[in-house]
Amino acid sequence: MKIAVVAPSCTLKPEAAEAVVAIAAARDDCELVIHPQCFLSDGHFAGPDNARLAALREVMADEGYDAVWFARGGYGSNRIAESAVEDLPAAARAKTYLGYSDSGFLLAAFDKAGLDVAHGPMVQDVVRPGGEAAIHRALDWLVRREPAALEPGLQPGRRAMAFNLTVLSNLLGTSLEPDFDGVELLIEDVAEHEYRIDRTMFHVTGSPAIRRLGSLRMGRMSEIPDNDPVFGNDAESIVRDWCERSGIAFGGRADIGHDAANRVVPFNIRSG
Amino acid sequence: MKIAVVAPSCTLKPEAAEAVVAIAAARDDCELVIHPQCFLSDGHFAGPDNARLAALREVMADEGYDAVWFARGGYGSNRIAESAVEDLPAAARAKTYLGYSDSGFLLAAFDKAGLDVAHGPMVQDVVRPGGEAAIHRALDWLVRREPAALEPGLQPGRRAMAFNLTVLSNLLGTSLEPDFDGVELLIEDVAEHEYRIDRTMFHVTGSPAIRRLGSLRMGRMSEIPDNDPVFGNDAESIVRDWCERSGIAFGGRADIGHDAANRVVPFNIRSG
């Protein structure tokens, strides 16, 4: 299996790329090609919009690749997501796309365009504590659809989606918004204050499209900054509260998050 | 003129209340009544949702008040905004409502319900440097519709709205969303990173409802935290860029923001 790595958001750290290429080489079941665009830098981004878009479109159109793996999040994939799915070549439909966090903008747009996407670990996760396990999990799933890589609550045949909550909030109502009808939605977030989680849950669950979800599960909300005064509700209470207010079934916790334990959530589980 | 002060978001500082009551007393053209709910505290909020809602509904329904002035922002008015406009008593329609920042959730819901709202200084602004001027500006406008209090670019007879950009993003698609058709929209924000301003502008300008605006002007984006690496675009470039991408006419700068110079923006200018 041949996997292309591009960076539609922020610049990939060279040491992360080296470590992951070494892991893949040692596995001997896949070939990883790190696109040079991953190391471009233009202010906040891994190169200007047109360079990030060109690299992404290039690997999408390349029949030689079985999968496109997003290097890392940060911010910026929303700026090219709409253009990325215009006039899709056939080769783009014959591969899998994997990422999370800011890459959620692409997961949404690609899912809406009928492509095969999954929420899961990215290349730069190798630098997290225990990050090597995240890399193996991602590759196990990309290469051989290893069931142990999957988020354990997923049900075969049931549509699922997973998003960073803040990213999801920022794509609602835009051209990237996918169809949530009957979907099991998994959310996670990182480094957001509880008042922001509460406000974002208000926004997300206030959407008529989101109210057509089948159910919602909560992954990890990590690195929550201190609130002054103490907010008064923890993240799970906040999520439960807004599900109850909006009539969305709360399905419990999910094993996803900004950490090395982040499991894979294919939006369409086929052979899982 | 009799003005009620309630706190639908966070707790009002007693020293701010005292200072503003003294200013109003010295003016001798209005009576300010600070509702005791303003000093309640429940975690992040000025009392639980039901207490904040009850105080707000109480002063809205009271024929003795000519205006309701929101004490301060923070976070939380969205949690009671939908209930605040249910089964409105006639007295609620005979008064003016003034606030900004988190109060934007109420401005939106109240404007949608046909009430008379304006974006402008709040009671706790008295503690800002030069804050006394903001208080006089708010009272000058509430008491005698002083033209000098108004944002100078507004045009009589043209619908305008003003919102904190992040608050606006979080009410789009919810039941609070007002009608933006042909409106001149003024935005401002505080303490948001440039990447967040960019992401929020993507979200807001990606809304088909927002694309029906007449034009958009940018107030102050203050206290922007450092971005690492340097983002690459300043706030005005970001706002201009998303207006251009989305086909919204950019009308230049606006004299609003999280500061003592914040001018008043009535959503419906009548006697301007």
Side-chain angles (χ1 to χ4, degrees):
Chain A
M1 156 161 277
K2 202 170 162 189
I3 302 167
V5 175
V6 290
S9 311
C10 293
T11 309
L12 178 61
K13 291 185 180 174
E15 61 270 29
E18 283 167 31
V20 173
V21 166
I23 291 170
R27 287 173 61 105
D28 206 25
D29 63 356
C30 60
E31 183 191 349
L32 219 59
V33 180
I34 312 280
H35 194 290
Q37 173 270 322
C38 290
F39 306 112
L40 294 181
S41 178
D42 183 49
H44 190 90
F45 309 103
D49 289 353
N50 56 9
R52 303 198 314 285
L53 177 62
L56 176 56
R57 295 280 304 188
E58 175 194 326
V59 297
M60 290 171 77
D62 189 332
E63 291 174 9
Y65 291 116
D66 305 291
V68 173
W69 195 12
F70 302 127
R72 62 167 295 196
Y75 169 69
S77 73
N78 59 320
R79 298 179 56 91
I80 59 171
E82 194 172 357
S83 300
V85 291
E86 277 172 16
D87 302 321
L88 284 174
R93 301 190 179 278
K95 50 177 63 78
T96 304
Y97 302 85
L98 178 65
Y100 74 110
S101 193
D102 185 72
S103 302
F105 289 111
L106 296 175
L107 300 183
F110 284 25
D111 178 73
K112 188 175 183 177
L115 305 186
D116 188 32
V117 306
H119 183 277
M122 295 186 290
V123 176
Q124 194 153 304
D125 284 321
V126 74
V127 304
R128 294 187 187 278
E132 196 165 334
I135 300 306
H136 279 296
R137 190 179 314 114
L139 292 174
D140 286 349
W141 185 75
L142 284 175
V143 174
R144 58 169 202 264
R145 294 293 189 264
E146 168 60 48
L150 294 176
E151 202 286 328
L154 300 176
Q155 293 166 35
R158 179 176 189 184
R159 279 267 287 167
M161 292 184 182
F163 285 106
N164 175 274
L165 176 63
T166 301
V167 165
L168 175 61
S169 171
N170 278 289
L171 66 80
L172 288 182
T174 74
S175 64
L176 311 185
E177 183 182 308
D179 180 2
F180 298 106
D181 271 25
V183 163
E184 177 174 53
L185 173 67
L186 282 60
I187 56 171
E188 61 85 41
D189 219 325
V190 62
E192 298 290 348
H193 288 81
E194 282 147 340
Y195 84 88
R196 286 186 184 255
I197 295 172
D198 196 74
R199 189 170 62 189
T200 308
M201 283 300 300
F202 159 81
H203 178 240
V204 167
T205 61
S207 155
I210 288 286
R211 292 186 179 185
R212 292 193 290 272
L213 284 173
S215 63
L216 184 149
R217 283 196 286 138
M218 182 187 132
R220 287 174 288 282
M221 303 278 189
S222 53
E223 298 174 38
I224 296 177
D226 286 341
N227 201 68
D228 179 26
V230 169
F231 185 74
N233 263 330
D234 66 8
E236 183 173 328
S237 304
I238 291 168
V239 171
R240 283 180 179 274
D241 179 40
W242 285 108
C243 283
E244 195 175 317
R245 280 178 178 234
S246 59
I248 296 169
F250 179 72
R253 300 299 295 255
D255 195 6
I256 63 169
H258 270 67
D259 49 51
N262 188 26
R263 302 270 204 122
V264 177
V265 181
F267 283 20
N268 292 294
I269 309 179
R270 285 188 279 235
S271 54
Chain B
M1 156 162 278
K2 201 170 163 190
I3 303 167
V5 175
V6 289
S9 310
C10 293
T11 310
L12 178 62
K13 290 185 182 176
E15 61 270 29
E18 283 167 31
V20 173
V21 166
I23 291 170
R27 287 174 61 106
D28 207 24
D29 62 356
C30 60
E31 182 191 349
L32 219 58
V33 180
I34 312 281
H35 195 290
Q37 173 270 323
C38 291
F39 306 111
L40 294 181
S41 178
D42 182 51
H44 191 89
F45 309 104
D49 289 353
N50 56 9
R52 303 198 314 284
L53 177 62
L56 176 56
R57 295 279 305 188
E58 176 194 328
V59 298
M60 290 171 77
D62 189 333
E63 290 176 9
Y65 291 117
D66 306 291
V68 174
W69 195 12
F70 302 127
R72 61 167 296 195
Y75 169 68
S77 74
N78 60 319
R79 298 179 56 91
I80 60 171
E82 193 171 358
S83 301
V85 291
E86 277 172 17
D87 302 320
L88 285 174
R93 300 190 180 279
K95 49 177 66 75
T96 303
Y97 302 86
L98 177 65
Y100 73 110
S101 193
D102 185 72
S103 302
F105 290 111
L106 296 176
L107 300 183
F110 285 24
D111 178 72
K112 188 175 182 178
L115 305 185
D116 188 34
V117 306
H119 182 279
M122 296 185 290
V123 176
Q124 192 152 304
D125 284 320
V126 74
V127 305
R128 294 186 187 279
E132 196 166 335
I135 301 306
H136 279 297
R137 190 179 314 114
L139 292 173
D140 285 349
W141 185 75
L142 284 175
V143 173
R144 57 168 203 266
R145 294 292 188 266
E146 169 60 46
L150 295 175
E151 202 286 327
L154 300 177
Q155 292 167 34
R158 180 178 189 181
R159 279 267 287 166
M161 291 183 182
F163 286 105
N164 174 276
L165 176 63
T166 302
V167 165
L168 175 61
S169 170
N170 277 289
L171 66 81
L172 288 181
T174 74
S175 64
L176 311 185
E177 183 181 307
D179 180 3
F180 298 106
D181 271 24
V183 163
E184 177 175 52
L185 173 67
L186 283 60
I187 55 171
E188 61 86 41
D189 219 325
V190 62
E192 300 289 348
H193 288 81
E194 282 147 338
Y195 84 88
R196 286 185 185 256
I197 295 172
D198 196 75
R199 188 170 62 188
T200 307
M201 283 300 299
F202 158 81
H203 178 240
V204 167
T205 61
S207 155
I210 288 285
R211 291 185 179 185
R212 292 194 289 271
L213 284 172
S215 62
L216 184 149
R217 283 196 286 138
M218 182 186 131
R220 286 174 288 281
M221 303 277 190
S222 53
E223 299 173 38
I224 296 177
D226 286 342
N227 201 69
D228 179 25
V230 169
F231 185 73
N233 264 329
D234 65 9
E236 182 172 328
S237 304
I238 292 168
V239 171
R240 283 181 179 273
D241 179 40
W242 285 109
C243 283
E244 194 174 317
R245 280 177 178 234
S246 59
I248 296 169
F250 179 72
R253 300 299 294 254
D255 195 5
I256 64 169
H258 269 67
D259 49 50
N262 187 25
R263 302 270 205 121
V264 176
V265 181
F267 283 20
N268 293 293
I269 308 180
R270 285 186 281 234
S271 54

